[in-house]
Each structure stands twice: as structure tokens, then as C-alpha cells.
Amino acid sequence: MRTESSVLRSKDLLGIEPLTPEEITLILDTAEGFKEVSERPVKKVPALRGQLVINLFMEASTRTRVSFEIAEKRLSADTLNFSASGSAVEKGETLIDTAENLVAMHPNMIVIRHKHPGSPKMLAERFENIAVINAGDGAHEHPTQALLDAFTIRERLGRLQGVNVAIVGDIKYSRVVRSNIHLLTKMKANVTLSAPPTLLPAEIEKMGVRVVHSLDEAIEGADVVMMLRIQLERQGKLSFPSLREYYNTFGLTRERLRRAKEGVLVMHPGPMNRGVEIASDVADDPRYSVILDQVTNGVAVRMAVLYLLGGAHASE
Ligand code: CP
């Protein structure tokens, strides 16, 4: 029998692109139910008792790795954290051989972050009895980040449809923006992008977004301003003359924020480059900034994803 917990069509969460609006709403509604668990004296429910989740992080992470682990523990799953550093990956073992060995120990789910786009899909296709969750693959997708961003917007503004979201910064190298564009356009929000021309992929408008070249124009009338980190590790060398010049042109300051709507939300997926894409007094101002709310909501959203995939897997 298929239960409410088995409504997601896929056994995996590889990206936002394959999800329907109904599946996105299901995940956000399920997360709403789980948010309260983190506020209880005993922060635990037995939903995934007896299931083993392996967190396979082959790229640096603070928020995603920690919040997946907390989410797994709050659902009573057994968790194992694997990082490339200190493992046989340092001796040259491949991702597939690493995964084959981990799967031989019978996990139910694998959460993977990897620098190569498509790595989660490769594992999902190879291991048909394991649920694979993409925790960020290169510049491709970061689905749970977009889900927690949407959860935060919906929690604050009560809806996603018709909300004006300005996304500013390193569009070209960001997996967060790709997942957010898929999610926000599926949920009928209005997305405006702004970036230096060198950080804007060609034909990005085909994804159903508006592109403007000045930060002021993007902010005008925005309900949400989402700033993106400059991904220096993927750019190789700076795609603009200097960090100071970037801040002067695309850095979010209090003065620039005056153009946004009353009650505008300022978001950032983290980690922030303070004084590059965002001024510290904006990032830390509770009148606008929901940056730490995003982090809090990440636990509930990841609990929902693990529960929906783990529950579906267990009921088959
Ligand atoms: N937002 C995000 O993915 O942060 P981490 O790299 O710290 O996980």
C-alpha cells in the first residue's frame, strides 16, 4: 500500500528540476510539521528508526552537512559521516568504488555532496535499492537549499505565488541559483537576476527569469533579495576587476535596500563573504535578514526529505 509518505515519485532527490509543484508543496508542508520537533524538550521522533543514512561529503560544507546529520538524528536514523579527507579517496579510490564499499554495509540512504555535476545521479542509477539525496553537485543543483529557501519565504510571506524574488551575484557558478530558479518558477514566483555580464550564463532568460544589469533595478519592488556567494573556488580567477569594485557595484548595502518593498527579506545561502556581496550591517539586521532562519529551517526541510524518501523506501 502506498501511504502519504510515499507520494514522491522518485526514490531519490537529485534536483528540483524533476519535481512537480505538488511534490514541492508536499515537502514544504511535511517540513512545517517537522519544525515543531526541534522546539520540543526531547527533539526526536521514531520515523526512521533502524535505517542507516550515510552522509558522503566529498566537498567542504558546514550548514548542509551538519543539518542533514541533525535531521537524521531527530528522525532516529543511524548516521555515518564519510568525508574524503582521511579516507582511501586520498589513496586514489574512485567515487564508485568508495560507494560500492559503503553500500556493501547496507545503508538505506546516501546523502552526497560532490564537485562533479551528475555524481548523485550516477549513484542513484547504480544502486536501485538506495535513496540518494543530492546535497550539492558542482554548479548543477542544490535542491534542499532551494527547498529551505522556499520554506523560509512561505513562512514569512505566506505564499510563493506572485512573490518578487531578486537573485544577485555569481549566477554562473552557483548551484543554489539553478535550484531556486526551477523551484520559484514552478511555484509561480517572479524571478529577477542581476550579475556582472561575466557571471551571467548565456540565454539564462530561457529559464523563465528576467535579467537586469544593475543591482538597483533588481531590488526595485522586490519582496525578497537573495544574495549569492562569489564562488572563487569555481571561478579559478576573478571574473571582475577586484573585490572592492564588485562590492561597489553589486554589494547589498542599507542604502541600496531602500529601493525594495517595505518588509523585504534578505537571504543568503552561506557562507557569506562579508563586505563583498553583502554589508555586515545588512546581514546582521533582524529587520531584514532571515539568513539564520534559513539555517534553522534547513533541519525541518531535510527531515521532510529524509522522511518522504525513507518512508517510501521502507513501505515497498
Ligand atoms: N548553503 C550551503 O550549502 O552551505 P554549506 O556549503 O556550508 O553546506
Side-chain angles (χ1 to χ4, degrees):
M1 191 181 85
R2 293 184 77 77
T3 63
E4 194 205 349
S5 65
S6 64
V7 175
L8 295 181
R9 291 165 306 147
S10 170
K11 73 174 179 66
D12 311 295
L13 178 67
L14 302 180
I16 298 294
E17 190 174 11
L19 295 182
T20 63
E22 292 73 26
E23 288 176 309
I24 292 167
T25 301
L26 172 70
I27 296 170
L28 300 183
D29 290 349
T30 306
E32 222 170 81
F34 277 129
K35 186 157 177 184
E36 170 270 329
V37 173
S38 295
E39 289 152 13
R40 292 182 193 172
V42 178
K43 302 173 174 55
K44 226 173 176 60
V45 290
L48 295 185
R49 195 163 51 196
Q51 294 209 29
L52 172 61
V53 185
I54 295 183
N55 300 312
L56 180 55
F57 278 69
M58 313 286 267
E59 204 188 46
S61 170
T62 296
R63 281 144 290 268
T64 312
R65 185 176 57 77
V66 170
S67 72
F68 262 113
E69 188 180 349
I70 291 172
E72 290 150 12
K73 288 184 183 337
R74 292 201 174 150
L75 292 169
S76 305
D78 296 319
T79 67
L80 183 135
N81 296 318
F82 179 97
S83 50
S85 161
S87 78
V89 172
E90 292 187 336
K91 299 175 189 168
E93 191 162 34
T94 63
L95 171 62
I96 282 295
D97 279 338
T98 302
E100 288 279 10
N101 280 271
L102 295 173
V103 167
M105 295 180 241
H106 299 297
N108 300 88
M109 290 187 259
I110 293 179
V111 178
I112 175 172
R113 170 170 286 194
H114 201 283
K115 68 179 177 188
H116 289 303
S119 306
K121 185 166 186 277
M122 185 172 73
L123 297 194
E125 287 171 354
R126 193 168 186 106
F127 306 114
E128 54 189 35
N129 294 320
I130 311 271
V132 176
I133 300 174
N134 181 1
D137 60 333
H140 175 229
E141 280 227 37
H142 191 350
T144 56
Q145 179 69 44
L147 287 162
L148 73 87
D149 292 341
F151 184 95
T152 306
I153 296 171
R154 201 178 77 155
E155 182 178 59
R156 289 292 186 127
L157 303 182
R159 68 193 202 287
L160 292 169
Q161 184 166 1
V163 170
N164 297 324
V165 183
I167 309 181
V168 180
D170 185 349
I171 310 287
K172 185 170 176 183
Y173 296 98
S174 171
R175 55 193 171 210
V176 172
V177 75
R178 234 163 299 286
S179 289
N180 262 295
I181 291 172
H182 286 306
L183 190 152
L184 291 166
T185 55
K186 281 175 196 275
M187 302 310 282
K188 307 213 176 313
N190 307 311
V191 180
T192 299
L193 305 180
S194 185
T198 48
L199 291 179
L200 207 52
E203 305 195 341
I204 188 89
E205 292 95 334
K206 287 188 176 162
M207 291 185 79
V209 299
R210 183 173 76 110
V211 174
V212 297
H213 291 286
S214 94
L215 175 59
D216 289 345
E217 210 184 327
I219 291 176
E220 190 87 48
D223 299 295
V224 176
V225 179
M226 187 183 293
M227 302 307 293
L228 298 174
R229 182 171 70 86
I230 295 295
Q231 317 263 325
L232 292 174
E233 75 277 23
R234 293 202 196 109
Q235 289 186 23
K237 61 179 178 58
L238 277 186
S239 301
F240 39 82
S242 70
L243 293 177
R244 172 167 286 277
E245 189 161 332
Y246 183 86
Y247 181 65
N248 289 340
T249 318
F250 284 97
L252 186 63
T253 60
R254 271 202 179 139
E255 196 184 340
R256 288 206 162 112
L257 205 51
R258 289 205 189 99
R259 291 173 175 269
K261 279 188 184 166
E262 180 81 25
V264 64
L265 306 181
V266 172
M267 305 181 79
H268 193 302
M272 285 185 275
N273 296 307
R274 291 171 181 265
V276 177
E277 65 259 0
I278 191 165
S280 269
D281 61 357
V282 173
D284 298 332
D285 191 330
R287 287 175 301 169
Y288 323 111
S289 175
V290 293
I291 294 170
L292 292 178
D293 293 342
Q294 291 172 261
V295 178
T296 302
N297 292 334
V299 174
V301 163
R302 289 173 176 127
M303 286 173 79
V305 169
L306 289 158
Y307 171 73
L308 289 166
L309 295 178
H313 188 65
S315 69
E316 279 163 8

